[in-house]
Amino acid sequence: MTSKKHKPRNPDRTLLPPPTQTAFGGKVGETYRDSVPDWSPVLPLAAPEGAPNVLIILLDDVGFGQLGCYGGPIETPNLDKLASTGLRYNNFHTTALCSPSRAALLTGRNHHSVGLAAITEAATGFPGSYGSIPKSAATVAEVLKQNGYNTMAVGKWHLTPYTAYTAAGPFDRWPVAMGFEKFYGYLGGETDQWAPLLVQDNQFIDAPTRPGYHLTEDLVDRTITYLRDQQQANTGRPFFAYLALGACHAPLHAPKEFIDKYRGRFSQGWDKVREEVLARQKALGILPASAKLTPRDPSVPAWTSLNEAQRTVYCRLQEAFAGMLDHADHHIGRLLAALDELSLRDNTLILVASDNGASQEGLQDGVTNTDRFRNFTPESVEEMSLRLEEIGGPRTDPLYPMGWSLAGNTPFKKWKQDTHMGGNTDALIVSWPARIREGGAIRNQYHHIIDIVPTLLEVSGLPEPMSVNGVKQMPVQGVSFAYTFEDAAAKTRKKVQYYEMLGSRALWADGWTAVAWHKKGSSWAEDRWELYHTDVDTTEYEDLAAKHPEKLRQLIAMWEVEASKYHVRPLDDRRYERAADPGRPVAALPRERYTFYSGTSNLHPLAGPAMLGRPHTITAHAFIPDTGAEGVLVCSGGEFGGWSLFLQDGRLHYVHNYLKMEEYLVSSARVVAPGMHRLSARFTPTAKSLKPDFFTGDVLLMVDDETVGTLKGIKTGAMYSAMTGYGLLVGRNTGTAVSPRYEVPFSFTGRLEKVVVDVKGDRDAEGELRLAFSQE
């Protein structure tokens, strides 16, 4: 029996859900003997003939000058080998920040057009900054899925609105509702690589606990499994796989052997490393011989001005970054080998990029605990010196200093979050053996991350959709760069590209770039626009604003047009303050009382009760058998900050971990007797400090309303785990342990009926203690 190839059901460029009824094209007789079947209504959609598989590997916070095949000092042999089978682009650009670049990558639209002016958590309630991709900008995954592709996303997402970070969704902006048939990874901007907060499809799941676990290895394992499952099903359908690694965003976590491999390799310092990288870039042909190294940023000290302790700590943090990237490359090599084993490489289009330039968020000294950093309590170099051998391991949460970020973006100025080239210029490797046969070649056409979607549509033989799932689509705003695959000398088809990030602005057009760096808190009228002829001056070295004022005015005027077209205004230079705006919507409706049950999913901090610095009482209703019980009743946070109420050695304990700097413990003086009890901790704030940002307060420990312990003057952070996502857990402590007094998961061995959190009110009808004062 043979069957003819069926055509895609989208001749009018419209993508619609499968119809409930389809015209029958066969013949119905009295019996099957005199009838003719028609299978077309139930056949799956078919991709256009010859459509390639697609694999996108997105790195995180990896700069232009860090990969080995781009002249970087870090060993990336597997990516280097991949580049040798395809193309390296030296004029590829992103938005300079995480969520915006990911939105642009998956939709083919500018980030303000789809509401992602900044990260999702920084939404401000304006059209360009809703923090939520509209349905009028369907992802390429949705388009490919409805045209015969299997689709899968693994790793970092960071495109779900903060208002949907709950176990009840809404799920319409989670990956499986945005075109991906499978998802395994994490929703937020970062997670602990040793003990991640994971999501599978639409469900939070507990962190794996097997010895030696690391997230990068897990994500690659999962991708390989998904691809093997897809292939062994033998449907003939192509796949679209999106692997977004956490490497190399903070925390810089890698196995010690990968970090130790780089011991001493950066002792020459960031100034010398920048010179060495540029020399290799020229030798590789990544940059022309005329390229000049931009001056060291004034916010970065000369390496020769540092003392020995600073150099030692800074080098170890850079070694952790290098080890993390090397480790990621190792596992990418496993994925590429799996494609070879499945005989898929030839017709698989592979794209490797980063979402922005290297990150300056570690500021001058770097950090080994980013929760301290976010609470304006940075570590000193002397403190970090005591933990050198732990850096990069599971007991740290590190990020390197900005001097290494500048070196990572060699030869450009600035870094992630900025609109100079260091923030938005990234490596792009493209391999497709079936079509790209000029292995190891370099392309210098100017392109942007919004250009990936139209490229994928073109090579897949698909038109730009006018409607998806009944929703009219905004035009795709990118320009396909598939023309560059065979023609190195082709003139770029890109005409103009604007930039705006956290108040800084830029515009490229016809080989010229105008850029204005904005100092936070200053007037935009004070910003100084610079002008570069980037077709000639490839590093933005020579500012031509004074020589060509008319050209600068022309580009500034073009920026104004683009800004109006794509909803860039209002300009906003706030960072963390956006997330703290009290007028913003919340993920879950606030209550005066919350009731939780054992075994429920992690309650993300954005969806849980606001407790830090507020009066509250936590009450666990628990039964202790005659043989006793132990374990966590309820906790929030992890090793780098949080609190836990637990039973151990028969006694009730409450511990507050203040940013891993101090641990406050209060314990019951006597063993809690068998039977049913109300086990409580009551916190009363007494003062607030700003920068460093913390509250002080007193804790009462209670058993059945009787005070059994008192602790005065504890400190609590203003924000714990909002980025990593570990929130409230009942009956266990997954992830990392809030206190070293127990090991995860330390599940409660008695019977836990419920946990009640009160944040306001009086004693209720059941006699449970409720606080009688409000928080202004």
Side-chain angles (χ1 to χ4, degrees):
M1 178 178 177
T2 61
S3 62
K4 60 182 180 180
K5 187 166 182 74
H6 51 286
K7 297 179 180 179
R9 196 176 60 239
N10 62 347
D12 61 349
R13 303 174 69 212
T14 300
L15 300 176
L16 297 171
T20 55
Q21 292 183 338
T22 303
F24 176 66
K27 173 187 173 184
V28 177
E30 186 65 25
T31 71
Y32 72 92
R33 291 186 178 89
D34 58 355
S35 301
V36 178
D38 174 18
W39 288 105
S40 58
V42 294
L43 285 173
L45 291 169
E49 190 166 358
N53 302 307
V54 178
L55 169 62
I56 295 178
I57 301 173
L58 190 66
L59 301 171
D60 201 333
D61 288 4
V62 173
F64 183 83
Q66 289 177 320
L67 300 180
C69 55
Y70 276 77
I74 300 166
E75 295 180 26
T76 54
N78 294 293
L79 289 175
D80 298 353
K81 184 178 178 182
L82 182 69
S84 74
T85 69
L87 307 173
R88 283 167 293 166
Y89 289 74
N90 64 10
N91 209 355
F92 177 74
H93 302 270
T94 60
T95 71
L97 194 61
C98 170
S99 300
S101 286
R102 290 160 201 270
L105 166 65
L106 292 175
T107 69
R109 283 88 169 182
N110 285 300
H111 60 111
H112 294 89
S113 294
V114 294
L116 269 299
I119 59 174
T120 55
E121 296 88 348
T124 57
F126 295 97
S129 187
Y130 280 133
S132 179
I133 296 174
K135 295 299 182 182
S136 57
T139 69
V140 68
E142 183 70 33
V143 176
L144 294 178
K145 181 183 72 174
Q146 294 194 30
N147 280 279
Y149 275 73
N150 284 130
T151 59
M152 58 201 78
V154 179
K156 175 174 171 176
W157 182 242
H158 211 192
L159 291 173
T160 295
Y162 70 93
T163 49
Y165 275 46
T166 83
F171 299 112
D172 60 335
R173 263 73 173 185
W174 287 40
V176 292
M178 296 189 71
F180 291 101
E181 295 167 311
K182 295 182 178 181
F183 174 67
Y184 179 85
Y186 56 104
L187 289 184
E190 68 180 63
T191 193
D192 190 310
Q193 300 288 296
W194 300 108
L197 174 62
L198 292 175
V199 168
Q200 185 165 2
D201 299 330
N202 282 349
Q203 180 70 42
F204 287 103
I205 61 175
D206 287 348
T209 57
R210 62 180 179 270
Y213 174 89
H214 190 282
L215 181 59
T216 295
E217 181 177 3
D218 186 17
L219 296 178
V220 170
D221 284 346
R222 185 65 57 139
T223 305
I224 293 172
T225 297
Y226 282 170
L227 292 178
R228 286 173 175 167
D229 284 349
Q230 195 263 355
Q231 287 296 301
Q232 68 194 21
N234 197 32
T235 64
R237 304 177 75 189
F239 64 78
F240 171 55
Y242 172 52
L243 172 59
L245 297 176
C248 287
H249 194 289
L252 304 179
H253 283 159
K256 196 171 190 298
E257 61 268 25
F258 281 86
I259 299 173
D260 286 348
K261 175 181 178 180
Y262 289 90
R263 192 183 295 276
R265 291 208 198 176
F266 304 104
S267 58
Q268 70 271 47
W270 45 60
D271 294 318
K272 187 65 175 176
V273 166
R274 293 183 77 219
E275 296 173 3
E276 295 168 348
V277 169
L278 179 57
R280 286 193 294 268
Q281 289 171 335
K282 291 180 179 181
L284 289 168
I286 294 294
L287 290 175
S290 60
K292 295 181 180 179
L293 185 65
T294 56
R296 177 175 15 89
D297 195 272
S299 61
V300 174
W303 187 259
T304 55
S305 71
L306 304 176
N307 61 42
E308 189 62 30
Q310 289 173 315
R311 294 182 188 183
T312 301
V313 169
Y314 297 169
C315 279
R316 192 56 177 172
L317 289 166
Q318 167 70 355
E319 290 161 11
F321 178 94
M324 190 180 195
L325 183 55
D326 191 323
H327 178 250
D329 178 84
H330 169 76
H331 289 289
I332 289 170
R334 293 176 47 238
L335 174 57
L336 298 178
L339 290 177
D340 287 335
E341 181 183 352
L342 294 167
S343 300
L344 293 172
R345 181 77 78 88
D346 191 57
N347 197 35
T348 297
L349 171 59
I350 303 174
L351 300 95
V352 181
S354 179
D355 57 351
N356 44 247
S359 171
Q360 92 296 9
E361 292 155 333
L363 300 183
Q364 182 165 327
D365 292 330
V367 66
T368 71
N369 180 355
T370 57
D371 269 338
R372 283 186 59 171
F373 179 79
R374 294 186 189 101
N375 285 272
F376 303 101
T377 313
E379 296 163 276
S380 67
V381 169
E382 290 71 23
E383 286 180 281
M384 291 188 282
S385 297
L386 302 175
R387 312 191 67 194
L388 283 180
E389 293 308 308
E390 295 182 18
I391 287 174
R395 306 303 305 276
T396 63
D397 185 9
L399 181 57
Y400 61 5
M402 61 200 305
W404 289 121
S405 170
L406 190 65
N409 295 324
T410 300
F412 306 124
K413 299 174 183 176
K414 299 298 183 182
W415 25 56
K416 174 183 177 181
Q417 299 185 6
D418 287 321
T419 54
H420 280 79
M421 289 180 70
N424 65 37
T425 307
D426 287 281
L428 173 65
I429 300 169
V430 179
S431 173
W432 186 10
R435 178 165 169 183
I436 300 172
R437 304 187 185 279
E438 191 183 357
I442 294 169
R443 295 291 187 264
N444 58 21
Q445 291 89 352
Y446 190 103
H447 277 284
H448 187 269
I449 199 166
I450 62 171
D451 300 333
I452 288 178
V453 166
T455 303
L456 296 183
L457 293 179
E458 179 180 340
V459 301
S460 301
L462 295 171
E464 176 187 335
M466 301 295 289
S467 176
V468 176
N469 295 327
V471 179
K472 183 180 178 181
Q473 296 293 288
M474 68 173 71
V476 169
Q477 295 156 1
V479 176
S480 170
F481 55 85
Y483 69 95
T484 68
F485 291 174
E486 286 94 9
D487 191 351
K491 181 177 174 60
T492 182
R493 296 180 183 176
K494 190 92 171 168
K495 299 300 182 185
V496 62
Q497 182 62 51
Y498 83 93
Y499 297 87
E500 188 279 333
M501 186 52 61
L502 302 172
S504 292
R505 295 164 285 172
L507 182 128
W508 174 91
D510 195 25
W512 290 79
T513 300
V515 57
W517 180 78
H518 177 75
K519 181 180 179 181
K520 182 183 176 184
S522 67
S523 168
W524 277 273
E526 298 173 6
D527 291 352
R528 189 177 73 82
W529 282 89
E530 304 161 22
L531 177 68
Y532 300 96
H533 191 185
T534 42
D535 265 5
V536 177
D537 175 12
T538 54
T539 68
E540 292 183 340
Y541 182 86
E542 184 182 3
D543 181 6
L544 300 176
K547 291 183 180 179
H548 300 284
E550 286 299 323
K551 187 66 176 180
L552 179 59
R553 282 192 287 270
Q554 175 193 358
L555 294 185
I556 293 173
M558 291 177 70
W559 186 91
E560 295 290 345
V561 171
E562 298 297 291
S564 297
K565 186 188 304 183
Y566 297 118
H567 308 297
V568 173
R569 284 192 168 85
L571 296 174
D572 194 337
D573 59 4
R574 295 173 297 167
R575 269 84 167 163
Y576 297 122
E577 302 94 326
R578 297 190 193 189
D581 188 336
R584 287 157 38 101
V586 293
L589 297 176
R591 306 174 184 171
E592 295 183 357
R593 158 180 285 195
Y594 299 78
T595 301
F596 306 106
Y597 299 93
S598 185
T600 54
S601 299
N602 169 79
L603 186 69
H604 194 281
L606 293 171
M611 299 169 62
L612 289 173
R614 298 185 62 188
H616 59 265
T617 298
I618 308 157
T619 302
H621 296 245
F623 177 81
I624 301 174
D626 291 340
T627 54
E630 67 172 7
V632 171
L633 298 163
V634 57
C635 69
S636 184
E639 180 174 353
F640 303 99
W643 56 265
S644 181
L645 182 67
F646 60 97
L647 280 167
Q648 192 174 56
D649 299 327
R651 289 176 167 80
L652 180 64
H653 308 272
Y654 173 85
V655 65
H656 197 102
N657 173 358
Y658 174 60
L659 300 172
K660 205 176 177 178
M661 297 170 63
E662 297 179 72
E663 182 178 90
Y664 299 96
L665 174 71
V666 55
S667 305
S668 63
R670 63 176 185 269
V671 171
V672 181
M676 193 72 201
H677 295 284
R678 295 191 304 277
L679 309 174
S680 305
R682 173 180 176 178
F683 175 80
T684 303
T686 55
K688 177 175 173 57
S689 169
L690 292 173
K691 295 187 180 181
D693 206 355
F694 65 86
F695 298 93
T696 58
D698 302 334
V699 175
L700 295 180
L701 199 64
M702 294 172 285
V703 175
D704 301 322
D705 289 351
E706 177 187 353
T707 299
V708 296
T710 304
L711 186 64
K712 293 185 177 294
I714 76 167
K715 287 182 181 179
T716 79
M719 177 175 65
Y720 291 152
S721 303
M723 288 297 289
T724 54
Y726 269 108
L728 197 134
L729 286 162
V730 178
R732 68 201 190 283
N733 182 171
T734 59
T736 58
V738 173
S739 172
R741 298 173 187 276
Y742 57 77
E743 294 184 359
V744 295
F746 201 42
S747 300
F748 183 58
T749 57
R751 186 177 79 246
L752 184 57
E753 289 193 353
K754 61 181 177 180
V755 171
V756 177
V757 177
D758 285 302
V759 293
K760 181 182 177 182
D762 303 308
R763 195 176 296 273
D764 64 14
E766 297 176 345
E768 295 184 37
L769 184 64
R770 307 192 70 197
L771 299 177
F773 55 97
S774 62
Q775 179 76 8
E776 295 298 330

